[in-house]
Amino acid sequence: MDRGADQARQALAGGALGYRDLQDHLAKQYSETTVEAVRMGIKRAWESGHIAYRNTAPTLHREQRAFALLEHAHPGLTLHRSDPVTAAVALVRRYLGAYGPAAEGDLTWWSGLTRAEITPALTALRDEITPVHVEGLPATLLVLSSELDTLRGATPLPADHVRLTAFEDPAFKGYFTTRARYLEAAHTERAFNPIGEVRAAITVAGRITGTWWWDKQTRTVGWDLFARPPRGLARVIRQRLEEAEAFLRTEPN
């Protein structure tokens, strides 16, 4: 796989390439390599921080992948300045700052790091972290001590707070073992696809109560509510869906 990643980097030395162009270039230059190996090489180069991905599509209705060497796409940026332990500490601190209170299982899910990699980082941050319990959520959760007063003073969202979130919204990607904070367990398969990606969601007071999608053929928004809402709330949900439909119709196909 590392060999395939090196080949992908070499192919991008002359400039950015679309995904299909990059794949075809590598398949032609290394004819003995399978298409699957080429794809895994590109994936490895991207996930290891050596090449950057950009969506160059001029519309929200489709994706147009392009890859470039990291130093070409983001001059001056390096993802290899810190040693792994220092980088893990910085990552955990940023995660808890964005998603805390969270469980260690949430952190490993979100980061992709193993418990063996997470434990030293948590140990290094022990003076910055406070264990807490949140009503309705299992186990002990972790939060940055500097955020405690802010969290205690936070005002709950009103019952009629309705928002539409995009596919793979980062707010819902931050948790796994404590998904009960925003989702009934019975609705998990309706909110997440078979490979764990969160669908575009309808949220009420911060909890996922349904999903929505854009129908390319009819150029309309469709939706699926997990339960029938009260009449007043249904009116607000419908208004949000109509607003999204009106906006998405302005996007080119």
Side-chain angles (χ1 to χ4, degrees), residues 39 49 89 95 119 121 126 135 144 152 166 191 234 237:
R39 291 173 178 170
V89 170
Y95 169 81
T119 299
R126 61 181 176 273
E135 184 178 355
L144 292 179
R152 286 172 176 150
I237 293 173

Side-chain angles (χ1 to χ4, degrees), residues 1 4-6 8-9 40-52:
M1 187 183 297
D6 287 339
R9 292 168 62 188
M40 292 302 294
I42 296 172
K43 184 173 186 288
R44 174 66 173 173
W46 175 38
E47 292 183 344
S48 61
H50 292 290
I51 66 176

Side-chain angles (χ1 to χ4, degrees), residues 62-237:
R62 64 176 182 273
E63 184 181 30
Q64 187 172 300
R65 296 186 178 187
F67 289 95
L69 291 177
L70 186 68
E71 56 266 32
H72 292 173
H74 303 285
L77 172 65
T78 175
L79 300 181
H80 305 281
R81 181 178 297 125
S82 301
D83 65 272
V85 175
T86 301
V89 170
L91 184 66
V92 171
R93 183 186 288 115
R94 284 177 177 266
Y95 169 81
L96 290 177
Y99 293 105
E104 186 174 337
D106 295 324
L107 174 55
T108 54
W109 156 263
W110 176 86
S111 68
L113 299 177
T114 64
R115 176 166 289 184
E117 293 168 316
I118 289 294
T119 299
L122 291 175
T123 299
L125 292 168
R126 61 181 176 273
D127 293 336
E128 300 180 36
I129 295 175
T130 299
V132 297
H133 290 277
V134 176
E135 184 178 355
L137 297 180
T140 300
L141 306 183
L142 306 175
V143 63
L144 292 179
S145 303
S146 59
E147 297 291 327
L148 277 173
D149 289 341
T150 300
L151 291 170
R152 286 172 176 150
T155 303
L157 294 173
D160 62 350
H161 182 279
V162 177
R163 292 293 184 270
L164 305 186
T165 61
F167 177 79
E168 283 285 78
D169 187 276
F172 302 132
K173 292 290 288 184
Y175 308 103
F176 182 71
T177 58
T178 64
R179 281 180 178 170
R181 71 181 70 212
Y182 61 75
L183 179 73
E184 297 291 339
H187 301 145
T188 299
E189 291 187 1
R190 296 170 73 178
F192 290 82
N193 68 19
I195 62 173
E197 297 170 331
V198 62
R199 306 180 196 276
I202 301 169
T203 68
V204 176
R207 292 182 61 81
I208 299 178
T209 59
T211 58
W212 68 280
W213 59 88
W214 173 252
D215 188 314
K216 293 181 180 180
Q217 299 299 318
T218 62
R219 293 182 62 78
T220 58
V221 165
W223 67 92
D224 173 32
L225 294 174
F226 301 156
R228 186 174 181 176
R231 182 176 299 179
L233 185 58
R235 184 164 54 248
V236 178
I237 293 173

